Structures are given as C-alpha cells and as structure tokens.
Amino acid sequence: GEDVKPFTPGKAKEIVMSLQQPAVFCNMVGDWPALHWNAKYLCALLDGKTIQFRLGLKTVDLVPQFETRCSYVKATLEEFLAWSCGQPSCLSGPFSCYEYSKYWAYADYKYIARVFEDKPEIFQDIRWSDFGFPGRSGKESTLWVGSEGANTPCHLDSYGCNLVLQVQGRKRWHLFPPGDTSFLYPTRIPYEESSIFSKVNIANPDLKRFPEFRNTTAHVVTLSPGQVLLVPRHWWHYVESIDPITVSINSWIELDADHEARVEEAITRMLVCAIKSAENPSDGDLWLNPTEVEATSHEINLQYLNKAVSAYFKCQKASVSEQAHPSSTGAEQRTSASCKRRKREVGCEPEGCRLLTHEFGFSTLKAEKLQKIPFGPHLIQVLPQSQTSLMGAVTVESDGRDLLHENEGGHFGKLHCTRKQLVMSNDCGTHAHQMDSDSSPNASQTALSTNDLLDCLVNPHVISLVAQLLLERTRV
C-alpha cells in the first residue's frame, strides 16, 4: 500500500541515533497532515495573529549577517505574503521600510506549542513517532517561514540532534563535520546559549582573514518538500531559502551527551557574561544575541552552573541504576522536556533522567555493532563536496526517481521553554549595524579586544577540558 514506509519506527530511530553524518529520509512522511502546512494554509490557522520576522540584507559581504545585525518587525503572515509578492498594500504596512528586492524576511524558531496554543489539535499533524519517537508531535517542534535569501548564520547546536521536515519551497544546507570546528573559527559573540557561531560567512568566505576555512569539508544538499534531513550532533550548518517562500518544521532530539554539554554551556555563560559586562557599555558591541533577553548576574550564573553539575551526576546515577534494573513496562516512552536549551531549568530529577536514558539508549550503542546503515533510494547520504564547488548543491529528489545530481545554480540554541524574544524597533531609522565591532577597517592589527580573549577562552575545546576538570573535582 501507499502508506507503507521504507523504515519501521524502530529502524528509523536506530539510524537517527547512530548515524554520524547527515542524511535525507525520503518517502517517510507522505501521510503527514503537516505536508499541507504551506504559507497560505498557515495564514488561515493563524487567523490574523502577528508573529515576529527577522529581516536582513540580500547583499552578501565578508561578514556573517548575525541576528544582532538584523532588523525585526511584527506582522501577520498575510502581510508577509503580500510583501513577498510586491503588492501595493505593503506601502503602509510593517514591511514598508524594507524593499523586497533588497531584503529577506524570516519568521524563525517559532514554537508551535506557543504560536498555536489555542489549537492544540493540530499538534498531531506532525508525527515524529514514525521516526521512533512516540508521543513527539508538533508540541515539541518548531516552525520556520522565510522568503528567498532568508538564512541562518553558520553555527553548531550544543544540544541534541536535529530532524528537519521541508514543507514548502527548497532550502540549501551547507553542513560541516565536528572535526572542522577549528577551521570555522568558532566564536561566542554574539552570545546565545547552545549556539556556537562561525566567524566565517559561508556564502562569501574571507580567506585572507580565515585561511584555515580552505581545510573544511562541506556537505551540501538542497532539501525539497516531503524530505526529512538528519543533522547529527555538533554538525555545523548554514541554511538558506532558495525559493520565494519556504516553510519547514523541525524537532531537536535530546541526547544523553546533553547533560555534559549543559555544564559546558553554564561555564561559557559565566565567563562571557562576566567579561562582557565589565566592558564600557558605550563601546556599542552588540554581544548579546536577540534570543537572549538579558545578561544574567554572576550569582544566577553560578547557581545555573551548580544545577547543571548536579543534574549531570543525578542523570549518571540514574543511568547506572537503569542498567542494573531495566524497565520492563516500556510505557514511559519520552522525556517530559521538549526544549533543546533549558537554560537555568536544569534541576532535573532522577526520574526524568531515567526516562531520557530509556528513550535515547541508542546513543550509547557503538556504530560498529549496528547493522549496516541502509543507504539507498529512501535514505540518501549527504556526501562531501570539494571547496571548488562549495556553493553548488546536491539535490535529492523523491518523486519516484530518487536520484542524486549536481545543481549548477548554486538554522538548540532556540528551544528554551520560556524564551522571550527581544522585539527590536521596526522604525525605518533603526536598521541593524552592518559591521561587527571586531571587524572595523580602522581597527589596529595588533590591538587585542575582549572578543579576541573570549574566542580563545571559551573555545569549544578549552571549555570541554574545563568541564571535564570541573566534573572530576566535583566527583572527588
């Protein structure tokens, strides 16, 4: 029958939890009602409700267009569609200051549970149970609606792995393995918990300033409607909408390794907030990402660190207990927390951690012990691409042909349950800064900034070592 899927939920979950390279699932979601969630359908669902859009310039320079360098407006989806079609009604609307030919707009990281809190019945339109995660639906998912050119700067997510369903239009993904981290010049400025950004503009790399970028191995794929992309843990990604309107839905899958990652993020928060808060506010460095409402105090950050360490050991203890006394019921199939970044809400109880260990036990299996990954027409590898053709893309088709070919034409940080968005002014005179503080052409070549120090101090490799030393000290 047409509803028969190429992988059972168990096999799909085994692939998700064990595969350490990106891949595209085909023919797995054909019966999902969410495939009808195009922009016009969402207009009807939202019924005039306003949402926040991030706007950036379509021009490409050598500096990444971070969220701190964007403008923000609140608008209805109808107003967004009218603007993207060039309708005259936009001359007086929220997008009136932004010419469509010069700007893109992105309603990104929209938590479906929040946006559609008055329509919980639609959560079931998204069925991650087909991938082996029973009970996971739209309630644990995020919505993204963008115009052509809308993009997420290159970054890696500190927590979890990512499943992304493309609903409307196409998006081009540039992915880099965790081993390329040093070649991507990681930075925590702008600071956002659980997102580590790259200083390199992937769309236009400055090879004089970042020569090691030549050593990266890009995996590029164009994701089409009906396909689901697996982004494994700690894979870097730069994502761009390449069609006039794009809609996608994703869900971050929690992993056991997230417990240690939260300790690392707590250490990073303490250092970044302490050092950046000591700077003269008049310096004008927009170091705090708009997703972070405020710079928390040292006392709060210290509490957060202690809670993260306590949660780490509680979960380790629960994991050992679970292995000694495995559950026989299997009724508890998922964690209660759907958020990719829980920030200061990290005081999880052993029961919750036991659930997580039970749910995501596949992450502890060795890849060599698993059956061979069944690559083929229903599971397409996103293969490495040479730097000479970096901006091209592999397109995966699943319309019955399932072919790989070259397209010559050519983002948990975001799942904190109580995250508040900073609504920036949409006044025409307050467009975002177009030059980072550490990239000013007048800056001295030898003058080291606070950001230079932080790039070294909170480098992922350094923070990982500090976390290990700290956990060892606590363990003793």
Side-chain angles (χ1 to χ4, degrees), residues 30-101:
D31 59 345
W32 286 24
L35 283 185
H36 301 294
W37 284 28
N38 58 36
K40 289 185 178 179
Y41 180 81
L42 290 171
C43 281
L45 281 181
L46 287 166
D47 193 25
K49 185 175 184 178
T50 60
I51 54 179
Q52 181 167 271
F53 288 84
R54 176 166 60 94
L55 292 106
L57 286 169
K58 288 183 177 180
T59 54
V60 180
D61 58 21
L62 295 175
V63 181
Q65 198 159 181
F66 292 123
E67 293 174 52
T68 52
R69 304 174 64 234
C70 292
S71 299
Y72 294 80
V73 301
K74 278 197 170 183
T76 65
L77 205 50
E78 287 91 345
E79 289 170 326
F80 164 74
L81 290 177
W83 172 76
S84 65
C85 295
Q87 294 183 11
S89 61
C90 298
L91 296 176
S92 59
F95 292 100
S96 60
C97 296
Y98 306 94
E99 188 177 336
Y100 177 74
S101 62

Side-chain angles (χ1 to χ4, degrees), residues 107-390:
D108 49 359
Y109 312 112
K110 304 306 176 193
Y111 310 121
I112 291 172
R114 186 175 304 163
V115 174
F116 299 108
E117 59 185 351
D118 57 334
K119 296 180 175 67
E121 65 277 5
I122 71 166
F123 297 165
Q124 302 310 313
D125 287 4
I126 302 163
R127 304 170 179 173
W128 297 114
S129 56
D130 285 343
F131 288 83
F133 303 100
R136 183 177 288 261
S137 65
K139 188 177 181 181
E140 296 84 15
S141 303
T142 310
L143 179 68
W144 310 64
V145 182
S147 66
E148 183 178 359
N151 64 81
T152 304
C154 186
H155 68 285
L156 70 77
D157 301 318
S158 303
Y159 309 145
C161 63
N162 195 1
L163 286 174
V164 186
L165 165 66
Q166 194 63 25
V167 176
Q168 179 180 359
R170 296 168 300 157
K171 277 185 173 177
R172 183 165 296 149
W173 287 72
H174 298 255
L175 302 118
F176 303 87
D180 282 0
T181 293
S182 61
F183 306 144
L184 286 159
Y185 299 84
T187 182
R188 296 313 298 260
I189 305 298
Y191 173 74
E192 173 187 288
E193 181 184 346
S194 84
S195 291
I196 303 176
F197 292 102
S198 168
K199 282 189 170 186
V200 183
N201 184 353
I202 304 303
N204 187 27
D206 185 348
L207 297 180
K208 289 185 178 180
R209 190 177 176 202
F210 308 114
E212 292 297 310
F213 180 70
R214 293 186 180 91
N215 298 324
T216 60
T217 303
H219 297 239
V220 185
V221 65
T222 299
L223 199 65
S224 298
Q227 298 172 346
V228 175
L229 173 67
L230 165 64
V231 182
R233 181 175 187 263
H234 285 184
W235 273 71
W236 292 83
H237 45 285
Y238 166 78
V239 191
E240 180 182 16
S241 297
I242 60 174
D243 282 330
I245 301 293
T246 62
V247 177
S248 28
I249 297 168
N250 85 294
S251 188
W252 281 284
I253 308 299
E254 301 90 345
L255 301 172
D256 288 334
D258 292 348
H259 300 305
E260 185 169 352
R262 287 192 177 89
V263 175
E264 295 176 359
E265 287 297 289
I267 296 169
T268 300
R269 172 177 284 275
M270 280 197 73
L271 294 173
V272 173
C273 287
I275 292 177
K276 293 300 291 184
S277 297
E279 280 190 327
N280 188 338
S282 64
D283 289 347
D285 183 12
L286 299 177
W287 65 274
L288 201 63
N289 212 43
T291 52
E292 296 286 336
V293 177
E294 61 183 359
T296 45
S297 69
H298 181 77
E299 182 181 6
I300 290 176
N301 291 338
L302 187 59
Q303 292 175 5
Y304 176 31
L305 175 60
N306 278 281
K307 287 182 178 179
V309 171
S310 176
Y312 171 85
F313 284 113
K314 283 183 180 179
C315 293
Q316 275 211 330
K317 184 178 179 180
S319 178
V320 173
S321 175
E322 177 68 19
Q323 292 174 13
H325 306 285
S327 172
S328 59
T329 65
E332 298 171 331
Q333 291 295 321
R334 51 189 285 269
T335 64
S336 59
S338 64
C339 294
K340 178 165 163 268
R341 70 183 174 104
R342 289 179 242 175
K343 290 182 76 173
R344 288 164 292 283
E345 300 177 5
V346 293
C348 72
E349 296 300 321
E351 289 77 14
C353 299
R354 199 171 298 128
L355 280 174
L356 184 139
T357 303
H358 176 75
E359 169 67 3
F360 303 113
F362 283 102
S363 63
T364 61
L365 297 176
K366 298 293 185 181
E368 59 268 24
K369 293 183 180 180
L370 293 171
Q371 296 180 5
K372 185 178 180 181
I373 299 297
F375 292 117
H378 306 296
L379 183 69
I380 312 296
Q381 296 184 73
V382 182
L383 297 171
Q385 184 175 8
S386 68
Q387 284 296 315
T388 56
S389 58
L390 176 61

Side-chain angles (χ1 to χ4, degrees), residues 377-422:
H378 306 296
L379 183 69
I380 312 296
Q381 296 184 73
V382 182
L383 297 171
Q385 184 175 8
S386 68
Q387 284 296 315
T388 56
S389 58
L390 176 61
M391 297 313 293
V394 175
T395 301
V396 183
E397 298 185 353
S398 60
D399 58 357
R401 291 173 293 172
D402 296 313
L403 301 175
L404 280 178
H405 64 272
E406 289 293 323
N407 181 339
E408 298 295 334
H411 74 195
F412 183 157
K414 316 299 179 189
L415 275 183
H416 175 33
C417 297
T418 59
R419 171 180 176 260
K420 300 176 183 177
Q421 291 190 324
L422 176 62

